[in-house]
Amino acid sequence: MLRETAFSAAVGLALLVVAPFLFDDIYTLTVLTIYGLLALSLGFIWGFGGILCFGQAAFFGLGAYGFAIASINFADPWIAALVSLIIPALFAAALGAMLFYGRLSDVYLAVVTLVVTLILFKFMNSTAGSAYKIGDARLGGFNGIPGFDTLTLPWDSSEYLINEYLYYFCALVLLLAYLSLRWLLTAPFGRILIGIRENELRAELVGYDVRLVKTLAFAIGGLLAGTSGMLFANWAEIVTPALFSLSQSAEIIIWVIVGGAGSLLGPIVGAFALGALKFFLGQQTLVNNLFVLGSILVVTVLFLPRGIVPTLTPFFRKRRRGAKAVGQGKRGRSSRRRLRHAR
């Protein structure tokens, strides 16, 4: 397991370093990386915890708004970043505790999380007056919050974290999140979470606190989504209520379904592929963006129900085992030839 994790870290790091040289638009590449982290947050709780959350955009928006508000009220943007991570994590933990200890079924849980997102969307749109402010930060209603300080370089507070610096920071966060979740899923907590997904009643009868485990997993998903929101705020340099919109929530689910909810890599691949397609379609007016995404979702559900990555993984594993067997056969024949020569 350690060897596989090290190999994944090396490959991931190499891809993230090489990506800017293969992708001309560093601005788009950065937001695709942020989307990958957002999709990973849902892929973890849905694919491995069996928790279908339609409100992942709520934590995404809270992370973005939390950073903007804290950045205006605090002098140090890195303190604002820390605050923006705590807010969605605590909100997800509180919401998860109410849902899971209330023993809501999967359907009702999905509906409640969606309603929470829509409530936040409606509320943030109605905060245009001067009375709606937190400290020195005015919420701004549908116009959002612009003009806040973004992250700076740790070794130079006068230099902002933009362009290549911001991309590499986002890529590093994504890689660390992926490796952390991969390690977590091999730990006892991850094994229990998967066991709950497979048979919740059996896990509860064995003696595990199912509601606590699901609440913690939900909080981790909220933390990752909030982190992606914080990074998005630094990328866009403005936050608006559109972050809580229904279309944003739907896109996250489509990314995960297309990439594959049963793996950690699948949601990232889905977010990168569909995110890039979205930006490409945004440059033309011939085909509607939502029509294309909906068509891809239907085709994926019909012909690749497990998603792209889980479907292709057995094929590549078979190829790797075949190549390994061929290599071992060649080494065996070479050893026999050396033995005959020695005789």
Side-chain angles (χ1 to χ4, degrees):
M1 181 59 197
L2 182 61
R3 182 183 300 178
E4 292 182 358
T5 302
F7 178 76
S8 300
V11 172
L13 186 61
L15 289 175
L16 295 176
V17 170
V18 172
F21 299 98
L22 303 177
F23 206 96
D24 295 334
D25 190 356
I26 192 69
Y27 189 72
T28 303
L29 183 61
T30 302
V31 75
L32 292 180
T33 306
I34 296 171
Y35 285 163
L37 180 61
L38 178 57
L40 181 62
S41 69
L42 178 60
F44 169 68
I45 62 173
W46 186 16
F48 296 94
I51 306 169
L52 176 55
C53 175
F54 272 88
Q56 209 67 7
F59 314 125
F60 178 67
L62 285 174
Y65 265 89
F67 177 82
I69 294 171
S71 179
I72 293 174
N73 286 285
F74 294 102
D76 191 344
W78 286 99
I79 296 178
L82 180 61
V83 172
S84 67
L85 302 187
I86 295 174
I87 292 174
L90 292 179
F91 182 78
L95 179 61
M98 289 188 292
L99 295 175
F100 300 124
Y101 282 92
R103 295 187 178 275
L104 266 68
S105 62
D106 295 338
V107 176
Y108 291 107
L109 187 145
V111 171
V112 169
T113 54
L114 177 60
V115 170
V116 169
T117 305
L118 294 179
I119 289 174
L120 289 172
F121 175 69
K122 291 293 184 180
F123 173 75
M124 297 310 298
N125 269 296
S126 62
T127 57
S130 58
Y132 294 99
K133 58 189 302 186
I134 300 176
D136 296 328
R138 293 183 59 175
L139 299 182
F142 57 86
N143 290 320
I145 305 176
F148 50 84
D149 288 333
T150 57
L151 293 175
T152 58
L153 296 177
W155 57 87
D156 186 1
S157 59
S158 63
E159 189 74 22
Y160 287 105
L161 204 65
I162 57 175
N163 299 329
E164 289 83 3
Y165 289 124
L166 181 59
Y167 162 72
Y168 283 119
F169 179 70
C170 294
L172 180 61
V173 172
L174 175 60
L175 181 61
L176 290 176
Y178 171 80
L179 294 176
S180 298
L181 291 181
R182 182 164 179 162
W183 167 81
L184 184 64
L185 289 172
T186 61
F189 177 85
R191 296 298 184 184
I192 296 171
L193 183 64
I194 295 174
I196 293 173
R197 179 198 64 186
E198 296 299 322
N199 195 318
E200 183 173 334
L201 178 59
R202 181 179 297 175
E204 192 168 9
L205 291 175
V206 169
Y208 294 115
D209 191 340
V210 170
R211 290 165 291 183
L212 177 61
V213 173
K214 294 177 76 171
T215 300
L216 292 176
F218 198 71
I220 293 173
L223 173 63
L224 294 177
T227 303
S228 64
M230 180 271 293
L231 296 175
F232 184 87
N234 281 271
W235 173 81
E237 299 182 7
I238 184 175
V239 295
T240 65
L243 298 174
F244 300 101
S245 66
L246 181 60
S247 61
Q248 182 68 68
S249 299
E251 276 191 51
I252 302 171
I253 295 175
I254 294 174
W255 296 338
V256 176
I257 292 176
V258 173
S263 70
L264 292 177
L265 185 61
I268 300 175
V269 172
F272 267 79
L274 297 183
L277 179 62
K278 175 183 176 181
F279 280 103
F280 171 75
L281 293 175
Q283 300 173 6
Q284 52 82 45
T285 57
L286 182 63
V287 182
N288 184 271
N289 185 14
L290 295 178
F291 173 78
V292 174
L293 289 179
S295 301
I296 292 174
L297 176 62
V298 172
V299 171
T300 303
V301 171
L302 290 177
F303 299 102
L304 298 173
R306 297 173 57 198
I308 296 174
V309 172
T311 302
L312 297 179
T313 297
F315 171 76
F316 287 110
R317 285 179 178 173
K318 186 182 295 185
R319 292 283 302 270
R320 189 173 62 180
R321 285 196 298 266
K324 186 176 181 180
V326 171
Q328 290 176 346
K330 289 182 178 180
R331 287 194 295 271
R333 288 193 296 270
S334 177
S335 299
R336 287 194 293 270
R337 283 196 297 269
R338 288 197 299 269
L339 181 60
R340 285 196 298 269
H341 181 73
R343 289 177 178 175

